[in-house]
Amino acid sequence: MAAFRLALIQLQVSSVKSDNLTRACGLIWEAAKQGAKIVSLPECFNSPYGTKYFPEYAEKIPGDSTQKLSEVAKECSIYVIGGSIPEEDAGKLYNTCAVFGPDGTLLVKHRKLHLFDIDVPGKITFQESETLSPGDSFSTFDTPYCRVGLGICYDIRFAELAQIYAQRGCQLLVYPAAFNLTTGPAHWELLQRGRAVDNQVYVATASPARDDKASYVAWGHSTVVSPCSQRSALDLALPLHDDTTGRVSGILTLPCGLKAFGTPARCQGCVSEVGELTSGHWSTRGLSAPRNIKRRKSPRDLHLNTKTQIHSRTSNKQCWTPYTQQRARQVYSPIH
């Protein structure tokens, strides 16, 4: 894995699609100026997040939103992971991430595999499956720095997906995601660290900025976790009055790929949406792995009894809907 700079854009999403696109492209330019070679936008970066919004904001790929991402990727000569947008195709709607290379070409299109169907009594009920259809394929792309595996939000809860990506040679997993004020405090950081440590890969999550007035309030806290669980987050890289809110909009940039274990992570400065440059305030000290520790190799074939695994996760058991359980069995049992 070659050293490179990764940027996560935590975007304040409004109800005006054109404004969202303009801000997103502007921040991609700022990230490129900071030396980023791979830039990721958050989930649903061009529209509010909600089942009632998906049909209204949906567009085909290629379309207006993805065309602008293609253009800015080519202009900046970088890889752009286009968060996700509501995609319309053949009468169905998908939650889709489009990735563009430095020449502006579409490299891969990932449709969210696991739809966010959740019911936590007294806290949150949400069903993406009311309007969206699930994807049916795994998505990776190659760069000069590493192979990258893609997931969207709820996909991160499925350890099997990360295992498959690691088995296929991915060293960085990117999940554009919009956790909420219930699931964010409980599982946001835990899931990222688990996926990173278990598979010895980098894990990056790009979230929309928190908007307390929105119908769905995102958790924020865009984060990168190294293979040994070191964490660098947007809320830690900016001034203290924003360190626990997730409300800040801006860019987290940091180096990746310096060592397999204990990579030093340092925010080199973040740019807010109004263009104010702020200094990074957080760094970690690199750790070296003992010489007798080697990266665990995944089995060639993963034969997983997902139903058993789902019901053994007592901490998440009440959050899994029948749809989610059925979908997990369809995707992972068995995989060759």
Side-chain angles (χ1 to χ4, degrees):
M1 186 178 188
F4 68 100
R5 188 164 293 277
L6 169 70
L8 306 179
I9 294 178
Q10 187 161 293
L11 184 71
Q12 185 72 54
V13 178
S14 73
S15 60
V16 182
K17 181 188 288 190
S18 60
D19 290 349
N20 296 329
L21 293 174
T22 299
R23 284 199 301 275
C25 291
L27 287 171
I28 291 172
W29 267 103
E30 293 294 339
K33 291 177 182 178
Q34 292 186 21
K37 299 301 182 183
I38 301 177
V39 179
S40 179
L41 291 167
E43 182 181 21
C44 283
F45 80 91
N46 72 343
S47 73
Y49 183 75
T51 54
K52 66 179 180 180
Y53 299 110
F54 297 147
E56 177 184 354
Y57 286 80
E59 57 185 76
K60 292 186 178 296
I61 297 177
D64 185 47
S65 296
T66 52
Q67 179 60 34
K68 291 187 184 304
L69 295 184
S70 172
E71 292 171 358
V72 74
K74 184 175 181 179
E75 291 167 356
C76 297
S77 191
I78 60 173
Y79 292 87
V80 173
I81 300 172
S84 78
I85 65 171
E87 178 200 10
E88 189 278 322
D89 184 34
K92 292 185 178 181
L93 300 180
Y94 301 91
N95 191 343
T96 303
C97 174
V99 179
F100 297 91
D103 59 356
T105 58
L106 177 64
L107 299 180
V108 68
K109 185 172 71 171
H110 177 76
R111 290 171 171 169
K112 190 172 186 178
L113 289 166
H114 311 94
L115 300 184
F116 181 48
D117 281 14
I118 189 171
D119 183 12
V120 180
K123 293 188 177 180
I124 183 172
T125 299
F126 197 96
Q127 287 192 311
E128 277 189 325
S129 62
E130 289 179 352
T131 55
L132 299 181
S133 297
D136 59 4
S137 62
F138 307 123
S139 306
T140 65
F141 66 97
D142 291 314
T143 74
Y145 323 109
C146 65
R147 177 169 293 174
V148 182
L150 297 173
I152 299 176
C153 200
Y154 208 50
D155 288 340
I156 198 173
R157 289 189 177 273
F158 294 79
E160 300 86 352
L161 179 61
Q163 291 170 353
I164 292 165
Y165 281 153
Q167 178 187 349
R168 296 185 178 185
C170 294
Q171 294 173 296
L172 168 65
L173 307 184
V174 179
Y175 298 89
F179 274 40
N180 53 68
L181 300 188
T182 297
T183 60
H187 301 140
W188 178 254
E189 183 178 339
L190 173 67
L191 289 168
Q192 294 170 69
R193 285 182 158 173
R195 301 295 89 86
V197 173
D198 287 348
N199 299 287
Q200 285 301 283
V201 296
Y202 286 85
V203 172
T205 53
S207 170
R210 189 182 305 178
D211 180 1
D212 293 325
K213 298 179 181 179
S215 57
Y216 180 96
V217 183
W219 173 237
H221 302 276
S222 299
T223 305
V224 178
V225 177
S226 77
C228 72
S229 191
Q230 291 177 339
R231 171 178 175 261
S232 182
L234 190 60
D235 58 293
L236 293 176
L238 289 170
L240 293 178
H241 65 271
D242 284 319
D243 67 350
T244 60
T245 65
R247 294 182 178 87
V248 66
S249 302
I251 306 170
L252 171 66
T253 64
L254 73 161
C256 292
L258 302 182
K259 292 181 180 179
F261 290 80
T263 302
R266 181 184 299 275
C267 175
Q268 300 296 336
C270 298
V271 179
S272 71
E273 287 198 353
V274 297
E276 180 183 357
L277 182 64
T278 59
S279 300
H281 292 280
W282 186 83
S283 64
T284 62
R285 191 172 186 178
L287 302 175
S288 298
R291 292 184 178 181
N292 62 341
I293 293 182
K294 297 182 179 180
R295 174 172 172 165
R296 176 181 57 81
K297 295 183 178 179
S298 300
R300 178 172 297 178
D301 296 317
L302 298 176
H303 297 278
L304 303 170
N305 186 339
T306 310
K307 181 177 181 180
T308 301
Q309 292 185 7
I310 288 173
H311 288 285
S312 68
R313 296 171 182 160
T314 55
S315 61
N316 287 340
K317 184 175 179 181
Q318 294 180 348
C319 300
W320 291 78
T321 65
Y323 167 84
T324 305
Q325 297 175 18
Q326 178 185 7
R327 182 63 185 155
R329 291 193 291 271
Q330 289 173 348
V331 174
Y332 298 112
S333 184
I335 291 174
H336 299 282

